[in-house]
Amino acid sequence: MLALTQLAPVILSLDGDEEALHRSVQALSSVRASIFAMRGSDPMLQAACDLVASSFTTASVQDEPAMATVMRILDLSWKSRKEEVHRSAAKAIGAISQYRDCSAEVKSFVAGFRSARPPQKQSWSLALGQIQYARCKVLLGPTIVCLFKLVPPPTKTPTADVETRRNAYESITNICLQRDVSGPVVSDTDFQRCFKALLAGLGDYTTDPRGDVGAWVRTQCMTGLSELVASLKRLDLDASKQRLPEDLLLRAVQGIFKQSVEKFATVRQPSRSALVEVLQANDYPFAGRPVLTRIAER
Amino acid sequence: MSLARAVGALSLLTFAFSPGFFSDKPGPAFSAVAPAVTDADLRPVLMDGLIASIGSKNRDTVGVVATRQFSD
């Protein structure tokens, strides 16, 4: 499965042989069902999800037995405790959503958060960011609302565990970056709401027996903010300012800069990268920009 | 297809599926089959071998499938 995953892009580019890719997805049905369900099956689930992510084609959508197998593997993957499996499964559902309307899955994730177990919440919060909403735009709004509920402001008691919150911030970023033929799928208003949510995430200082776990959230938010600012590169200054007003950009620079004097290097280092990216990605002429640029590039 | 290339492909597949070869780092798997990937005649054989091996309990399946392809 690992070799087929790596071969898929080569086969597609050299031979354009989608049938061969579909046959490798079909072959998942030949694996005994118990292999994926038994204890210690995480590497198998991860490999199968990676294979689906790399080899899923239109033919796979039309093949009902193959689809049933893929969905069963995904169901098991959502329940896994391994983050690697969650990431692979999220990529797989993202690939499937390019060929098939995944409204049913989105609705199921959004509705299931209240009663789901932590591994499912963690994996679903990642998956919501990988699903392509071009085929189910009507669910974009409810999805964003659902993700916002998972990441309440730091003043309120969080309803989700820290991994789920980190993943939700990643998904908020990914949704904002999605584009279809007509441009970004997220409106300017929603883009700003998402940007504000990421800004709020910079104040997550949750600790637990593992230490400053809020740092995972803050690091994710810094990365997300810099990616969102970088996504404005393709717009001219006026359009950029309409999508991201200057005051929000300034708050992002302030928030990221604050993280550069945090206790842990694991937070300071990403803050430098994020700051450099934010400064390079726009021409907003705010006060102090030359000084910040000199500091960040040192 | 020459016998040398067929034997080469089989040995690559055998190597790729030797016990303990695969780990959570997939890089070496690709390295092992990479020479076969560049050959348009060998690519389908390689794909068939790998696909057949997914559901197999026996690594020899890969060799059997590949051999059948070459003999055809």
Side-chain angles (χ1 to χ4, degrees), chain A residues 1 3-4 7 11 15 17 19-24 26-27 30, chain B residues 1 10 13 17 33 36-37 40-56 58-70 72:
Chain A
M1 285 193 260
L4 282 168
L7 282 170
I11 297 295
D15 302 330
D17 188 0
E19 180 54 33
L21 299 189
H22 171 55
R23 278 192 291 117
S24 55
Q26 256 182 334
S30 65
Chain B
M1 185 180 300
L10 278 174
L13 291 169
F17 287 89
V33 297
V37 173
D41 291 332
L42 290 183
R43 271 199 299 277
V45 180
L46 181 66
M47 284 296 282
D48 282 347
L50 291 170
I51 288 169
S53 75
I54 285 185
S56 172
N58 189 344
R59 289 186 186 85
D60 291 341
T61 307
V62 183
V64 170
V65 172
T67 311
R68 192 180 303 140
Q69 289 282 337
F70 284 123
D72 289 348

mmCIF file of all heavy atoms in Angstrom, chain A residues 1 3-4 7 11 15 17 19-24 26-27 30, chain B residues 1 10 13 17 33 36-37 40-56 58-70 72:
data_model
loop_
_atom_site.group_PDB
_atom_site.id
_atom_site.type_symbol
_atom_site.label_atom_id
_atom_site.label_comp_id
_atom_site.label_asym_id
_atom_site.label_seq_id
_atom_site.Cartn_x
_atom_site.Cartn_y
_atom_site.Cartn_z
ATOM 1 N N MET A 1 0.828 -1.203 0.000
ATOM 2 C CA MET A 1 0.000 0.000 0.000
ATOM 3 C C MET A 1 0.861 1.251 0.000
ATOM 4 O O MET A 1 0.565 2.226 -0.696
ATOM 5 C CB MET A 1 -0.931 -0.010 1.220
ATOM 6 C CG MET A 1 -2.095 -0.961 1.096
ATOM 7 S SD MET A 1 -3.324 -0.674 2.354
ATOM 8 C CE MET A 1 -2.905 -1.958 3.503
ATOM 9 N N ALA A 3 3.929 1.487 -1.190
ATOM 10 C CA ALA A 3 4.569 1.634 -2.496
ATOM 11 C C ALA A 3 3.569 2.142 -3.532
ATOM 12 O O ALA A 3 3.881 3.018 -4.338
ATOM 13 C CB ALA A 3 5.166 0.298 -2.941
ATOM 14 N N LEU A 4 2.336 1.605 -3.487
ATOM 15 C CA LEU A 4 1.313 2.057 -4.442
ATOM 16 C C LEU A 4 0.981 3.526 -4.228
ATOM 17 O O LEU A 4 0.749 4.266 -5.187
ATOM 18 C CB LEU A 4 0.047 1.205 -4.292
ATOM 19 C CG LEU A 4 0.103 -0.176 -4.941
ATOM 20 C CD1 LEU A 4 -1.071 -1.027 -4.482
ATOM 21 C CD2 LEU A 4 0.099 -0.064 -6.454
ATOM 22 N N LEU A 7 3.646 5.389 -5.845
ATOM 23 C CA LEU A 7 3.656 5.226 -7.300
ATOM 24 C C LEU A 7 2.520 5.983 -7.983
ATOM 25 O O LEU A 7 2.634 6.340 -9.156
ATOM 26 C CB LEU A 7 3.531 3.744 -7.663
ATOM 27 C CG LEU A 7 4.793 2.912 -7.530
ATOM 28 C CD1 LEU A 7 4.454 1.437 -7.688
ATOM 29 C CD2 LEU A 7 5.796 3.318 -8.596
ATOM 30 N N ILE A 11 2.368 7.074 -11.877
ATOM 31 C CA ILE A 11 1.524 6.372 -12.850
ATOM 32 C C ILE A 11 0.593 7.365 -13.545
ATOM 33 O O ILE A 11 0.392 7.311 -14.756
ATOM 34 C CB ILE A 11 0.699 5.269 -12.139
ATOM 35 C CG1 ILE A 11 1.625 4.199 -11.537
ATOM 36 C CG2 ILE A 11 -0.326 4.641 -13.075
ATOM 37 C CD1 ILE A 11 2.403 3.407 -12.539
ATOM 38 N N ASP A 15 1.557 7.686 -17.347
ATOM 39 C CA ASP A 15 0.655 6.863 -18.165
ATOM 40 C C ASP A 15 -0.763 7.415 -18.217
ATOM 41 O O ASP A 15 -1.541 7.015 -19.080
ATOM 42 C CB ASP A 15 0.593 5.426 -17.602
ATOM 43 C CG ASP A 15 1.972 4.786 -17.557
ATOM 44 O OD1 ASP A 15 2.802 5.144 -18.409
ATOM 45 O OD2 ASP A 15 2.203 3.944 -16.683
ATOM 46 N N ASP A 17 -2.964 6.553 -16.299
ATOM 47 C CA ASP A 17 -3.743 5.321 -16.170
ATOM 48 C C ASP A 17 -4.582 5.349 -14.888
ATOM 49 O O ASP A 17 -4.206 4.789 -13.856
ATOM 50 C CB ASP A 17 -2.783 4.117 -16.161
ATOM 51 C CG ASP A 17 -3.513 2.798 -16.235
ATOM 52 O OD1 ASP A 17 -4.758 2.814 -16.293
ATOM 53 O OD2 ASP A 17 -2.848 1.752 -16.228
ATOM 54 N N GLU A 19 -7.315 3.840 -14.410
ATOM 55 C CA GLU A 19 -7.858 2.507 -14.154
ATOM 56 C C GLU A 19 -6.952 1.733 -13.191
ATOM 57 O O GLU A 19 -7.432 1.046 -12.294
ATOM 58 C CB GLU A 19 -8.006 1.763 -15.498
ATOM 59 C CG GLU A 19 -8.567 0.360 -15.406
ATOM 60 C CD GLU A 19 -9.887 0.277 -14.659
ATOM 61 O OE1 GLU A 19 -10.682 1.214 -14.721
ATOM 62 O OE2 GLU A 19 -10.097 -0.755 -13.983
ATOM 63 N N ALA A 20 -5.632 1.869 -13.405
ATOM 64 C CA ALA A 20 -4.688 1.172 -12.509
ATOM 65 C C ALA A 20 -4.826 1.706 -11.085
ATOM 66 O O ALA A 20 -4.778 0.940 -10.120
ATOM 67 C CB ALA A 20 -3.260 1.358 -13.016
ATOM 68 N N LEU A 21 -5.010 3.026 -10.970
ATOM 69 C CA LEU A 21 -5.177 3.600 -9.627
ATOM 70 C C LEU A 21 -6.456 3.076 -8.985
ATOM 71 O O LEU A 21 -6.473 2.739 -7.797
ATOM 72 C CB LEU A 21 -5.214 5.137 -9.703
ATOM 73 C CG LEU A 21 -3.982 5.830 -10.264
ATOM 74 C CD1 LEU A 21 -4.089 7.333 -10.079
ATOM 75 C CD2 LEU A 21 -2.713 5.336 -9.596
ATOM 76 N N HIS A 22 -7.510 3.011 -9.784
ATOM 77 C CA HIS A 22 -8.777 2.515 -9.236
ATOM 78 C C HIS A 22 -8.638 1.073 -8.781
ATOM 79 O O HIS A 22 -9.183 0.680 -7.747
ATOM 80 C CB HIS A 22 -9.890 2.650 -10.279
ATOM 81 C CG HIS A 22 -11.150 1.965 -9.879
ATOM 82 N ND1 HIS A 22 -11.798 2.222 -8.673
ATOM 83 C CD2 HIS A 22 -11.892 0.996 -10.482
ATOM 84 C CE1 HIS A 22 -12.867 1.457 -8.574
ATOM 85 N NE2 HIS A 22 -12.938 0.693 -9.646
ATOM 86 N N ARG A 23 -7.885 0.280 -9.561
ATOM 87 C CA ARG A 23 -7.708 -1.131 -9.169
ATOM 88 C C ARG A 23 -6.999 -1.241 -7.819
ATOM 89 O O ARG A 23 -7.258 -2.138 -7.045
ATOM 90 C CB ARG A 23 -6.929 -1.892 -10.252
ATOM 91 C CG ARG A 23 -7.836 -2.336 -11.395
ATOM 92 C CD ARG A 23 -7.157 -3.323 -12.319
ATOM 93 N NE ARG A 23 -6.098 -2.713 -13.085
ATOM 94 C CZ ARG A 23 -4.822 -3.042 -13.006
ATOM 95 N NH1 ARG A 23 -4.445 -4.029 -12.209
ATOM 96 N NH2 ARG A 23 -3.917 -2.422 -13.736
ATOM 97 N N SER A 24 -6.092 -0.292 -7.541
ATOM 98 C CA SER A 24 -5.416 -0.368 -6.240
ATOM 99 C C SER A 24 -6.380 0.001 -5.103
ATOM 100 O O SER A 24 -6.276 -0.544 -4.007
ATOM 101 C CB SER A 24 -4.146 0.493 -6.224
ATOM 102 O OG SER A 24 -4.428 1.807 -6.577
ATOM 103 N N GLN A 26 -9.630 -0.617 -5.325
ATOM 104 C CA GLN A 26 -10.483 -1.814 -5.300
ATOM 105 C C GLN A 26 -9.847 -2.931 -4.478
ATOM 106 O O GLN A 26 -10.529 -3.675 -3.775
ATOM 107 C CB GLN A 26 -10.656 -2.328 -6.730
ATOM 108 C CG GLN A 26 -11.989 -2.034 -7.351
ATOM 109 C CD GLN A 26 -12.059 -2.631 -8.751
ATOM 110 O OE1 GLN A 26 -11.044 -2.837 -9.429
ATOM 111 N NE2 GLN A 26 -13.263 -2.900 -9.202
ATOM 112 N N ALA A 27 -8.520 -3.023 -4.589
ATOM 113 C CA ALA A 27 -7.808 -4.127 -3.935
ATOM 114 C C ALA A 27 -7.934 -4.067 -2.414
ATOM 115 O O ALA A 27 -7.711 -5.075 -1.732
ATOM 116 C CB ALA A 27 -6.337 -4.111 -4.335
ATOM 117 N N SER A 30 -9.872 -6.725 -0.825
ATOM 118 C CA SER A 30 -9.330 -8.078 -0.702
ATOM 119 C C SER A 30 -8.630 -8.297 0.634
ATOM 120 O O SER A 30 -8.215 -9.415 0.948
ATOM 121 C CB SER A 30 -8.357 -8.368 -1.855
ATOM 122 O OG SER A 30 -7.237 -7.513 -1.766
ATOM 123 N N MET B 1 10.474 -8.501 -24.082
ATOM 124 C CA MET B 1 11.205 -8.059 -22.891
ATOM 125 C C MET B 1 12.357 -9.040 -22.602
ATOM 126 O O MET B 1 12.159 -10.240 -22.676
ATOM 127 C CB MET B 1 10.246 -8.055 -21.697
ATOM 128 C CG MET B 1 10.868 -7.505 -20.453
ATOM 129 S SD MET B 1 9.693 -7.526 -19.111
ATOM 130 C CE MET B 1 8.412 -6.494 -19.745
ATOM 131 N N LEU B 10 11.840 -8.772 -11.049
ATOM 132 C CA LEU B 10 11.451 -9.715 -10.000
ATOM 133 C C LEU B 10 12.298 -9.526 -8.742
ATOM 134 O O LEU B 10 11.790 -9.563 -7.630
ATOM 135 C CB LEU B 10 11.606 -11.154 -10.509
ATOM 136 C CG LEU B 10 10.431 -11.659 -11.340
ATOM 137 C CD1 LEU B 10 10.763 -13.036 -11.896
ATOM 138 C CD2 LEU B 10 9.180 -11.733 -10.496
ATOM 139 N N LEU B 13 11.110 -6.551 -6.882
ATOM 140 C CA LEU B 13 9.867 -6.808 -6.149
ATOM 141 C C LEU B 13 10.140 -7.662 -4.914
ATOM 142 O O LEU B 13 9.593 -7.420 -3.840
ATOM 143 C CB LEU B 13 8.855 -7.510 -7.059
ATOM 144 C CG LEU B 13 8.292 -6.641 -8.186
ATOM 145 C CD1 LEU B 13 7.518 -7.494 -9.173
ATOM 146 C CD2 LEU B 13 7.391 -5.560 -7.625
ATOM 147 N N PHE B 17 9.539 -6.554 -0.986
ATOM 148 C CA PHE B 17 8.631 -7.241 -0.083
ATOM 149 C C PHE B 17 9.346 -8.177 0.885
ATOM 150 O O PHE B 17 8.731 -9.037 1.478
ATOM 151 C CB PHE B 17 7.566 -8.000 -0.890
ATOM 152 C CG PHE B 17 6.587 -7.046 -1.480
ATOM 153 C CD1 PHE B 17 6.803 -6.494 -2.716
ATOM 154 C CD2 PHE B 17 5.498 -6.629 -0.737
ATOM 155 C CE1 PHE B 17 5.940 -5.569 -3.232
ATOM 156 C CE2 PHE B 17 4.629 -5.700 -1.245
ATOM 157 C CZ PHE B 17 4.850 -5.164 -2.499
ATOM 158 N N VAL B 33 11.685 0.244 -5.973
ATOM 159 C CA VAL B 33 10.962 -0.031 -7.216
ATOM 160 C C VAL B 33 11.195 1.059 -8.259
ATOM 161 O O VAL B 33 10.763 0.926 -9.393
ATOM 162 C CB VAL B 33 9.441 -0.187 -6.958
ATOM 163 C CG1 VAL B 33 9.179 -1.362 -6.058
ATOM 164 C CG2 VAL B 33 8.847 1.076 -6.382
ATOM 165 N N ALA B 36 12.169 0.243 -11.897
ATOM 166 C CA ALA B 36 11.108 -0.372 -12.687
ATOM 167 C C ALA B 36 10.083 0.671 -13.117
ATOM 168 O O ALA B 36 9.459 0.544 -14.165
ATOM 169 C CB ALA B 36 10.428 -1.473 -11.880
ATOM 170 N N VAL B 37 9.929 1.719 -12.303
ATOM 171 C CA VAL B 37 8.923 2.731 -12.596
ATOM 172 C C VAL B 37 9.246 3.485 -13.874
ATOM 173 O O VAL B 37 8.360 3.879 -14.627
ATOM 174 C CB VAL B 37 8.830 3.728 -11.414
ATOM 175 C CG1 VAL B 37 7.915 4.885 -11.767
ATOM 176 C CG2 VAL B 37 8.326 3.027 -10.175
ATOM 177 N N ALA B 40 8.429 1.794 -19.135
ATOM 178 C CA ALA B 40 7.000 1.725 -19.474
ATOM 179 C C ALA B 40 6.485 0.288 -19.544
ATOM 180 O O ALA B 40 5.316 0.025 -19.282
ATOM 181 C CB ALA B 40 6.751 2.433 -20.802
ATOM 182 N N ASP B 41 7.373 -0.676 -19.903
ATOM 183 C CA ASP B 41 6.941 -2.078 -19.979
ATOM 184 C C ASP B 41 6.788 -2.678 -18.594
ATOM 185 O O ASP B 41 5.943 -3.544 -18.367
ATOM 186 C CB ASP B 41 7.970 -2.914 -20.760
ATOM 187 C CG ASP B 41 7.984 -2.529 -22.234
ATOM 188 O OD1 ASP B 41 6.934 -2.083 -22.708
ATOM 189 O OD2 ASP B 41 9.047 -2.659 -22.872
ATOM 190 N N LEU B 42 7.617 -2.228 -17.689
ATOM 191 C CA LEU B 42 7.612 -2.841 -16.358
ATOM 192 C C LEU B 42 6.564 -2.226 -15.427
ATOM 193 O O LEU B 42 6.134 -2.872 -14.480
ATOM 194 C CB LEU B 42 8.988 -2.700 -15.705
ATOM 195 C CG LEU B 42 10.117 -3.529 -16.316
ATOM 196 C CD1 LEU B 42 11.393 -3.339 -15.525
ATOM 197 C CD2 LEU B 42 9.745 -5.007 -16.338
ATOM 198 N N ARG B 43 6.158 -1.001 -15.705
ATOM 199 C CA ARG B 43 5.225 -0.331 -14.781
ATOM 200 C C ARG B 43 3.937 -1.128 -14.553
ATOM 201 O O ARG B 43 3.545 -1.339 -13.403
ATOM 202 C CB ARG B 43 4.881 1.075 -15.283
ATOM 203 C CG ARG B 43 5.845 2.129 -14.781
ATOM 204 C CD ARG B 43 5.253 3.519 -14.894
ATOM 205 N NE ARG B 43 4.932 3.912 -16.244
ATOM 206 C CZ ARG B 43 5.816 4.419 -17.116
ATOM 207 N NH1 ARG B 43 7.065 4.608 -16.730
ATOM 208 N NH2 ARG B 43 5.446 4.756 -18.320
ATOM 209 N N PRO B 44 3.275 -1.614 -15.629
ATOM 210 C CA PRO B 44 2.042 -2.383 -15.387
ATOM 211 C C PRO B 44 2.298 -3.643 -14.563
ATOM 212 O O PRO B 44 1.482 -4.031 -13.731
ATOM 213 C CB PRO B 44 1.564 -2.746 -16.790
ATOM 214 C CG PRO B 44 2.252 -1.808 -17.708
ATOM 215 C CD PRO B 44 3.542 -1.464 -17.061
ATOM 216 N N VAL B 45 3.440 -4.283 -14.813
ATOM 217 C CA VAL B 45 3.781 -5.503 -14.077
ATOM 218 C C VAL B 45 3.960 -5.166 -12.597
ATOM 219 O O VAL B 45 3.463 -5.856 -11.699
ATOM 220 C CB VAL B 45 5.097 -6.112 -14.630
ATOM 221 C CG1 VAL B 45 5.453 -7.373 -13.877
ATOM 222 C CG2 VAL B 45 4.959 -6.383 -16.110
ATOM 223 N N LEU B 46 4.660 -4.094 -12.379
ATOM 224 C CA LEU B 46 4.905 -3.652 -11.009
ATOM 225 C C LEU B 46 3.589 -3.347 -10.308
ATOM 226 O O LEU B 46 3.351 -3.795 -9.179
ATOM 227 C CB LEU B 46 5.782 -2.401 -11.059
ATOM 228 C CG LEU B 46 6.182 -1.779 -9.740
ATOM 229 C CD1 LEU B 46 7.087 -2.717 -8.980
ATOM 230 C CD2 LEU B 46 6.887 -0.456 -9.984
ATOM 231 N N MET B 47 2.720 -2.618 -10.990
ATOM 232 C CA MET B 47 1.427 -2.266 -10.394
ATOM 233 C C MET B 47 0.627 -3.530 -10.086
ATOM 234 O O MET B 47 0.058 -3.668 -9.004
ATOM 235 C CB MET B 47 0.620 -1.373 -11.347
ATOM 236 C CG MET B 47 1.089 0.050 -11.413
ATOM 237 S SD MET B 47 0.913 0.931 -9.858
ATOM 238 C CE MET B 47 -0.834 1.303 -9.855
ATOM 239 N N ASP B 48 0.582 -4.472 -11.038
ATOM 240 C CA ASP B 48 -0.172 -5.711 -10.818
ATOM 241 C C ASP B 48 0.378 -6.465 -9.618
ATOM 242 O O ASP B 48 -0.377 -6.999 -8.802
ATOM 243 C CB ASP B 48 -0.109 -6.606 -12.062
ATOM 244 C CG ASP B 48 -1.073 -6.130 -13.148
ATOM 245 O OD1 ASP B 48 -1.932 -5.289 -12.820
ATOM 246 O OD2 ASP B 48 -0.941 -6.570 -14.299
ATOM 247 N N GLY B 49 1.690 -6.515 -9.536
ATOM 248 C CA GLY B 49 2.313 -7.224 -8.414
ATOM 249 C C GLY B 49 1.968 -6.587 -7.087
ATOM 250 O O GLY B 49 1.583 -7.259 -6.123
ATOM 251 N N LEU B 50 2.057 -5.284 -7.047
ATOM 252 C CA LEU B 50 1.764 -4.576 -5.796
ATOM 253 C C LEU B 50 0.287 -4.699 -5.426
ATOM 254 O O LEU B 50 -0.059 -4.928 -4.265
ATOM 255 C CB LEU B 50 2.150 -3.096 -5.933
ATOM 256 C CG LEU B 50 3.644 -2.805 -6.023
ATOM 257 C CD1 LEU B 50 3.891 -1.349 -6.396
ATOM 258 C CD2 LEU B 50 4.345 -3.113 -4.712
ATOM 259 N N ILE B 51 -0.585 -4.569 -6.441
ATOM 260 C CA ILE B 51 -2.035 -4.656 -6.159
ATOM 261 C C ILE B 51 -2.381 -6.057 -5.654
ATOM 262 O O ILE B 51 -3.125 -6.214 -4.698
ATOM 263 C CB ILE B 51 -2.853 -4.304 -7.432
ATOM 264 C CG1 ILE B 51 -2.737 -2.796 -7.699
ATOM 265 C CG2 ILE B 51 -4.312 -4.694 -7.274
ATOM 266 C CD1 ILE B 51 -3.273 -2.362 -9.050
ATOM 267 N N ALA B 52 -1.791 -7.062 -6.295
ATOM 268 C CA ALA B 52 -2.073 -8.441 -5.869
ATOM 269 C C ALA B 52 -1.581 -8.692 -4.449
ATOM 270 O O ALA B 52 -2.151 -9.499 -3.718
ATOM 271 C CB ALA B 52 -1.411 -9.414 -6.829
ATOM 272 N N SER B 53 -0.546 -7.995 -4.073
ATOM 273 C CA SER B 53 0.037 -8.263 -2.751
ATOM 274 C C SER B 53 -0.788 -7.662 -1.621
ATOM 275 O O SER B 53 -0.655 -8.060 -0.474
ATOM 276 C CB SER B 53 1.457 -7.698 -2.693
ATOM 277 O OG SER B 53 1.405 -6.294 -2.564
ATOM 278 N N ILE B 54 -1.666 -6.711 -1.925
ATOM 279 C CA ILE B 54 -2.405 -6.028 -0.854
ATOM 280 C C ILE B 54 -3.206 -7.016 -0.008
ATOM 281 O O ILE B 54 -3.151 -6.995 1.206
ATOM 282 C CB ILE B 54 -3.343 -4.939 -1.438
ATOM 283 C CG1 ILE B 54 -2.522 -3.722 -1.861
ATOM 284 C CG2 ILE B 54 -4.384 -4.511 -0.408
ATOM 285 C CD1 ILE B 54 -3.345 -2.552 -2.335
ATOM 286 N N GLY B 55 -3.953 -7.883 -0.679
ATOM 287 C CA GLY B 55 -4.812 -8.795 0.075
ATOM 288 C C GLY B 55 -4.166 -10.131 0.353
ATOM 289 O O GLY B 55 -4.803 -11.023 0.898
ATOM 290 N N SER B 56 -2.914 -10.266 -0.034
ATOM 291 C CA SER B 56 -2.280 -11.576 0.089
ATOM 292 C C SER B 56 -1.653 -11.784 1.453
ATOM 293 O O SER B 56 -1.130 -10.857 2.055
ATOM 294 C CB SER B 56 -1.206 -11.702 -0.992
ATOM 295 O OG SER B 56 -0.473 -12.871 -0.764
ATOM 296 N N ASN B 58 0.673 -13.962 1.591
ATOM 297 C CA ASN B 58 1.938 -14.530 1.192
ATOM 298 C C ASN B 58 2.681 -13.583 0.251
ATOM 299 O O ASN B 58 2.162 -13.199 -0.790
ATOM 300 C CB ASN B 58 1.656 -15.858 0.462
ATOM 301 C CG ASN B 58 2.915 -16.634 0.183
ATOM 302 O OD1 ASN B 58 4.018 -16.075 0.258
ATOM 303 N ND2 ASN B 58 2.769 -17.896 -0.129
ATOM 304 N N ARG B 59 3.869 -13.223 0.633
ATOM 305 C CA ARG B 59 4.626 -12.268 -0.191
ATOM 306 C C ARG B 59 4.962 -12.852 -1.565
ATOM 307 O O ARG B 59 5.210 -12.125 -2.509
ATOM 308 C CB ARG B 59 5.914 -11.859 0.519
ATOM 309 C CG ARG B 59 5.678 -10.974 1.699
ATOM 310 C CD ARG B 59 6.994 -10.503 2.264
ATOM 311 N NE ARG B 59 6.771 -9.762 3.485
ATOM 312 C CZ ARG B 59 6.657 -10.311 4.669
ATOM 313 N NH1 ARG B 59 6.750 -11.614 4.796
ATOM 314 N NH2 ARG B 59 6.443 -9.575 5.738
ATOM 315 N N ASP B 60 4.969 -14.203 -1.669
ATOM 316 C CA ASP B 60 5.323 -14.819 -2.947
ATOM 317 C C ASP B 60 4.322 -14.453 -4.041
ATOM 318 O O ASP B 60 4.625 -14.557 -5.217
ATOM 319 C CB ASP B 60 5.377 -16.348 -2.822
ATOM 320 C CG ASP B 60 6.545 -16.767 -1.958
ATOM 321 O OD1 ASP B 60 7.464 -15.934 -1.787
ATOM 322 O OD2 ASP B 60 6.528 -17.887 -1.445
ATOM 323 N N THR B 61 3.120 -14.035 -3.617
ATOM 324 C CA THR B 61 2.098 -13.664 -4.599
ATOM 325 C C THR B 61 2.644 -12.668 -5.604
ATOM 326 O O THR B 61 2.373 -12.742 -6.798
ATOM 327 C CB THR B 61 0.895 -13.000 -3.877
ATOM 328 O OG1 THR B 61 0.482 -13.870 -2.857
ATOM 329 C CG2 THR B 61 -0.240 -12.729 -4.847
ATOM 330 N N VAL B 62 3.420 -11.731 -5.092
ATOM 331 C CA VAL B 62 3.971 -10.688 -5.957
ATOM 332 C C VAL B 62 4.794 -11.325 -7.054
ATOM 333 O O VAL B 62 4.631 -11.030 -8.237
ATOM 334 C CB VAL B 62 4.860 -9.723 -5.148
ATOM 335 C CG1 VAL B 62 5.351 -8.613 -6.047
ATOM 336 C CG2 VAL B 62 4.097 -9.184 -3.966
ATOM 337 N N GLY B 63 5.649 -12.242 -6.657
ATOM 338 C CA GLY B 63 6.507 -12.920 -7.615
ATOM 339 C C GLY B 63 5.701 -13.732 -8.609
ATOM 340 O O GLY B 63 5.973 -13.711 -9.803
ATOM 341 N N VAL B 64 4.654 -14.412 -8.093
ATOM 342 C CA VAL B 64 3.832 -15.263 -8.956
ATOM 343 C C VAL B 64 3.146 -14.411 -10.023
ATOM 344 O O VAL B 64 3.186 -14.718 -11.210
ATOM 345 C CB VAL B 64 2.772 -16.019 -8.111
ATOM 346 C CG1 VAL B 64 1.762 -16.707 -9.018
ATOM 347 C CG2 VAL B 64 3.453 -17.021 -7.208
ATOM 348 N N VAL B 65 2.562 -13.312 -9.575
ATOM 349 C CA VAL B 65 1.857 -12.439 -10.519
ATOM 350 C C VAL B 65 2.826 -11.897 -11.558
ATOM 351 O O VAL B 65 2.553 -11.912 -12.756
ATOM 352 C CB VAL B 65 1.156 -11.274 -9.774
ATOM 353 C CG1 VAL B 65 0.595 -10.280 -10.778
ATOM 354 C CG2 VAL B 65 0.054 -11.819 -8.897
ATOM 355 N N ALA B 66 3.968 -11.452 -11.087
ATOM 356 C CA ALA B 66 4.955 -10.874 -11.998
ATOM 357 C C ALA B 66 5.433 -11.924 -13.004
ATOM 358 O O ALA B 66 5.526 -11.668 -14.200
ATOM 359 C CB ALA B 66 6.133 -10.321 -11.211
ATOM 360 N N THR B 67 5.679 -13.166 -12.509
ATOM 361 C CA THR B 67 6.159 -14.227 -13.388
ATOM 362 C C THR B 67 5.134 -14.515 -14.481
ATOM 363 O O THR B 67 5.453 -14.672 -15.643
ATOM 364 C CB THR B 67 6.427 -15.511 -12.575
ATOM 365 O OG1 THR B 67 7.204 -15.175 -11.465
ATOM 366 C CG2 THR B 67 7.135 -16.536 -13.415
ATOM 367 N N ARG B 68 3.849 -14.574 -14.052
ATOM 368 C CA ARG B 68 2.783 -14.867 -15.005
ATOM 369 C C ARG B 68 2.780 -13.786 -16.109
ATOM 370 O O ARG B 68 2.653 -14.079 -17.275
ATOM 371 C CB ARG B 68 1.445 -14.900 -14.275
ATOM 372 C CG ARG B 68 0.327 -15.487 -15.118
ATOM 373 C CD ARG B 68 -0.975 -15.492 -14.357
ATOM 374 N NE ARG B 68 -0.901 -16.205 -13.095
ATOM 375 C CZ ARG B 68 -1.477 -15.802 -11.970
ATOM 376 N NH1 ARG B 68 -2.124 -14.676 -11.935
ATOM 377 N NH2 ARG B 68 -1.380 -16.515 -10.865
ATOM 378 N N GLN B 69 2.946 -12.559 -15.693
ATOM 379 C CA GLN B 69 2.937 -11.459 -16.647
ATOM 380 C C GLN B 69 4.073 -11.629 -17.657
ATOM 381 O O GLN B 69 3.885 -11.488 -18.853
ATOM 382 C CB GLN B 69 3.136 -10.122 -15.919
ATOM 383 C CG GLN B 69 1.949 -9.704 -15.089
ATOM 384 C CD GLN B 69 0.841 -9.132 -15.934
ATOM 385 O OE1 GLN B 69 1.118 -8.677 -17.034
ATOM 386 N NE2 GLN B 69 -0.387 -9.208 -15.460
ATOM 387 N N PHE B 70 5.267 -11.959 -17.127
ATOM 388 C CA PHE B 70 6.425 -12.060 -18.013
ATOM 389 C C PHE B 70 6.281 -13.238 -18.970
ATOM 390 O O PHE B 70 6.620 -13.135 -20.140
ATOM 391 C CB PHE B 70 7.716 -12.214 -17.190
ATOM 392 C CG PHE B 70 8.144 -10.913 -16.562
ATOM 393 C CD1 PHE B 70 8.318 -10.816 -15.194
ATOM 394 C CD2 PHE B 70 8.350 -9.806 -17.341
ATOM 395 C CE1 PHE B 70 8.716 -9.632 -14.626
ATOM 396 C CE2 PHE B 70 8.730 -8.604 -16.771
ATOM 397 C CZ PHE B 70 8.925 -8.518 -15.412
ATOM 398 N N ASP B 72 3.570 -14.490 -20.079
ATOM 399 C CA ASP B 72 2.589 -14.148 -21.111
ATOM 400 C C ASP B 72 3.272 -13.325 -22.214
ATOM 401 O O ASP B 72 2.851 -13.342 -23.334
ATOM 402 C CB ASP B 72 1.446 -13.319 -20.514
ATOM 403 C CG ASP B 72 0.568 -14.190 -19.629
ATOM 404 O OD1 ASP B 72 0.728 -15.433 -19.698
ATOM 405 O OD2 ASP B 72 -0.243 -13.643 -18.879
#
